[in-house]
Amino acid sequence: MKLLPHHRLSVLFNHPKKRFIPFILCGDPTSKYTLQAMHSLVDSGADAIEIGIPFTDPIADGAVLTRAHTRSCAQGVTITQVFETVHRFRRTNQKTPLVLMGYYNPCFQFGFSAFCHKAAKHGVDGLILVDCPNDGKERVAIEKLCAANQIAFIPLVSLNSSISTIKTRCLGGSGYCYLVAVDGVTGSSAINIKNINSTFKRIKKHASLPIAIGFGINSLDRAKQLYRFADTIIIGTHLASLQESSKGNMALSLNKIKTFCSQINQIF
């Protein structure tokens, strides 16, 4: 699906500049914190923001983000409240692209047609479904619903994806291609830069979407390693760790993530 020229993600990737996209889970520890964190991330240089939808069974997430999901679910944060947080952010920021990232089941329960309609209405620009069926009518139906609402359906590609899979997913997707940099869950510490670079080049050869690399980028040094060839890097677990280590002190947590993101942007 081709995004319109004025779409926020089209505008973002219209220039050949390396990008930084942070991920935060909505409602961890509160929706009020999430909203403040989104503004802090933009102030410290975020080019776009991925917002996690809380779920009780986040099978692709490691221990840190799983605890974040648990805290958010304990607060009773729902998809409706995620939309409300986006809506409140859009009152003062119409520029920064916002991408929702979550699991298939909550969106299925909400109803994909209603989900895409409300997402577009509240100012969401893209959607990532971690466990979306890879092929078949379900995926095609979601791609069409996203296209009808000008929401980028962002494909996930792994280090082991075949060329055929890369072509199929990127052909039906839009916005950017998300390269999962580890053979494991979010926050995994062991990554292979050589293997990531090789996969990155393979995707570049067979797909035209910008490529964002995420999972396993847990330090400035790792960001520097990927900076050499990545179009965009995504960092989530480390930001959740900074929030968690602040033990409920919102001001301290916001200061930590702002400092870290500013350091990331000095690399870029």
Side-chain angles (χ1 to χ4, degrees):
M1 187 267 286
K2 188 174 178 61
L3 299 174
L4 294 173
H6 62 270
H7 191 284
R8 278 181 281 260
L9 285 173
S10 297
V11 174
L12 179 67
F13 290 111
N14 194 34
H15 302 287
K17 176 182 179 298
K18 292 179 182 288
R19 305 293 182 180
F20 165 53
I21 303 178
F23 167 95
I24 55 171
L25 190 80
C26 190
D28 176 35
T30 66
S31 295
K32 178 181 178 181
Y33 171 85
T34 300
L35 182 61
Q36 290 188 318
M38 290 167 70
H39 286 299
S40 290
L41 290 168
V42 173
D43 291 343
S44 53
D47 294 298
I49 301 175
E50 289 183 359
I51 306 165
I53 301 171
F55 184 43
T56 52
D57 300 290
I59 56 174
D61 288 300
V64 172
L65 281 178
T66 294
R67 291 195 294 272
H69 279 277
T70 300
R71 287 190 292 268
S72 183
C73 288
Q75 293 288 326
V77 176
T78 64
I79 288 177
T80 298
Q81 289 169 292
V82 174
F83 286 145
E84 176 61 22
T85 301
V86 171
H87 177 71
R88 293 170 65 190
F89 178 81
R90 284 283 180 239
R91 288 175 180 169
T92 55
N93 186 316
Q94 294 291 322
K95 180 181 178 182
T96 305
L98 299 177
V99 174
L100 297 187
M101 184 171 186
Y103 290 83
Y104 185 89
N105 187 278
C107 301
F108 174 78
Q109 295 296 332
F110 193 89
F112 278 109
S113 180
F115 180 91
C116 290
H117 176 72
K118 288 184 178 295
K121 177 182 176 182
H122 290 296
V124 171
D125 302 292
L127 173 65
I128 301 170
L129 286 179
V130 177
D131 55 348
C132 182
N134 292 331
D135 301 298
K137 62 181 180 181
E138 293 93 348
R139 188 179 191 90
V140 172
I142 296 170
E143 288 173 354
K144 288 182 177 178
L145 284 170
C146 285
N149 290 278
Q150 271 292 293
I151 296 173
F153 188 68
I154 296 163
L156 285 163
V157 172
S158 76
L159 298 174
N160 299 314
S161 292
S162 66
I163 292 174
S164 174
T165 296
I166 291 170
K167 288 180 176 178
T168 300
R169 293 185 190 173
C170 290
L171 185 63
S174 54
Y176 54 91
C177 172
Y178 193 129
L179 170 57
V180 178
V182 298
D183 291 323
V185 296
T186 58
S188 300
S189 58
I191 67 173
N192 185 324
I193 297 294
K194 184 178 179 180
N195 195 14
I196 297 169
N197 192 6
S198 174
T199 305
F200 179 88
K201 291 177 179 176
R202 191 164 69 249
I203 299 171
K204 277 286 187 187
K205 188 176 179 180
H206 297 285
S208 59
L209 293 175
I211 303 169
I213 301 176
F215 282 46
I217 308 173
N218 55 8
S219 66
L220 289 174
D221 286 341
R222 188 149 295 175
K224 288 177 181 176
Q225 288 177 300
L226 293 169
Y227 165 79
R228 292 197 296 268
F229 58 87
D231 293 330
T232 298
I233 62 171
I234 300 168
I235 299 179
T237 297
H238 188 68
L239 298 180
S241 296
L242 295 176
Q243 190 283 121
E244 190 174 59
S245 65
S246 300
K247 302 184 183 304
N249 186 328
M250 186 180 296
L252 176 61
S253 178
L254 292 173
N255 187 54
K256 284 182 178 179
I257 64 170
K258 195 168 185 175
T259 299
F260 178 75
C261 292
S262 296
Q263 291 170 334
I264 288 289
N265 272 285
Q266 287 177 13
I267 300 172
F268 278 57

